Amino acid sequence: NSGNDADPNQMLQAVSMTNDYISLEHGHENMFATLFFGILDPLTGNLRYINGGHEPLYIIGPSGIKQTLGAHGPAIGIMPGITFEIRQTQIEPGNILIGYTDGVTEALSPDQHMYSKERFLALLEPCPSSAVELIDRIKTDLFDHIDYAPQFDDITMIAVYHKPKP
């Protein structure tokens, strides 16, 4: 099945059920989580997504950031019964989608300076030729920044390259 065959109601149901479970079972612990849930059709580049309080994802093209997929809903687990919304976008051939956790931009150097969103965004241009190249570029710069400082949060990134047809 391609991503276009995905039932949007199933996406909403999965996020709503997860939200309700966390809020009802762990609400007394003030537990919540940010979420980016997407279904990508690799043939067409069509992306359906829900961003519940997560850091924005970026679509990068040859001239830099083409689109920001910011949060359009709250984090999950805050309270039961929250309504979420599906958005849709297109990742064109040759473009890259990149996502990250706040542990990337908030990573500290040995002298307690934050890596920063500005430094992260500066590494998205020029657009690399692959997702692997982009992750390597960021990882190298990030770990140079962190050096020997202790890591206090997860450092997670994901990148998807929509390869042009030959």
Side-chain angles (χ1 to χ4, degrees), residues 86-166:
I86 296 174
R87 299 266 170 103
Q88 186 169 315
T89 192
Q90 191 73 23
I91 303 172
E92 300 295 331
N95 288 186
I96 296 175
L97 172 72
I98 181 148
Y100 61 97
T101 59
D102 61 2
V104 173
T105 54
E106 295 175 2
L108 296 175
S109 66
D111 58 358
Q112 301 296 294
H113 286 95
M114 212 181 292
Y115 186 69
S116 82
K117 186 177 270 188
E118 294 74 24
R119 187 167 175 174
F120 174 82
L121 292 175
L123 293 172
L124 303 185
E125 297 178 30
C127 184
S129 60
S130 72
V132 172
E133 181 186 329
L134 179 58
I135 295 290
D136 284 346
R137 178 190 300 174
I138 297 167
K139 185 175 74 172
T140 299
D141 189 61
L142 178 63
F143 288 120
D144 283 349
H145 173 80
I146 294 170
D147 198 20
Y148 58 85
Q151 183 178 333
F152 73 94
D153 200 356
D154 71 289
I155 292 176
T156 306
M157 294 181 283
I158 184 169
V160 177
Y161 177 68
H162 187 183
K163 187 176 180 177
K165 293 179 183 173

Side-chain angles (χ1 to χ4, degrees), residues 4 7-8 29-30 34 38 40 48-49 62 67 72 83 103 108 110 116 120 125-127 147 149 151 157 160 162 166:
N4 283 334
D7 181 355
E29 301 166 29
N30 293 321
T34 64
L40 174 66
R48 289 186 178 144
Y49 68 95
Q67 188 176 1
H72 57 272
T83 301
L108 296 175
S116 82
F120 174 82
E125 297 178 30
C127 184
D147 198 20
Q151 183 178 333
M157 294 181 283
V160 177
H162 187 183

Side-chain angles (χ1 to χ4, degrees), residues 25-100:
E25 297 296 322
H26 301 283
H28 61 283
E29 301 166 29
N30 293 321
M31 178 188 276
F32 68 91
T34 64
L35 159 88
F36 185 93
F37 176 35
I39 298 178
L40 174 66
D41 183 331
L43 299 176
T44 66
N46 182 59
L47 175 67
R48 289 186 178 144
Y49 68 95
I50 298 170
N51 187 339
H54 194 66
E55 294 292 325
L57 278 75
Y58 298 98
I59 297 175
I60 309 162
S63 59
I65 296 172
K66 290 177 65 174
Q67 188 176 1
T68 301
L69 309 181
H72 57 272
I76 59 172
I78 294 174
M79 61 184 284
I82 293 174
T83 301
F84 293 91
E85 174 187 331
I86 296 174
R87 299 266 170 103
Q88 186 169 315
T89 192
Q90 191 73 23
I91 303 172
E92 300 295 331
N95 288 186
I96 296 175
L97 172 72
I98 181 148
Y100 61 97

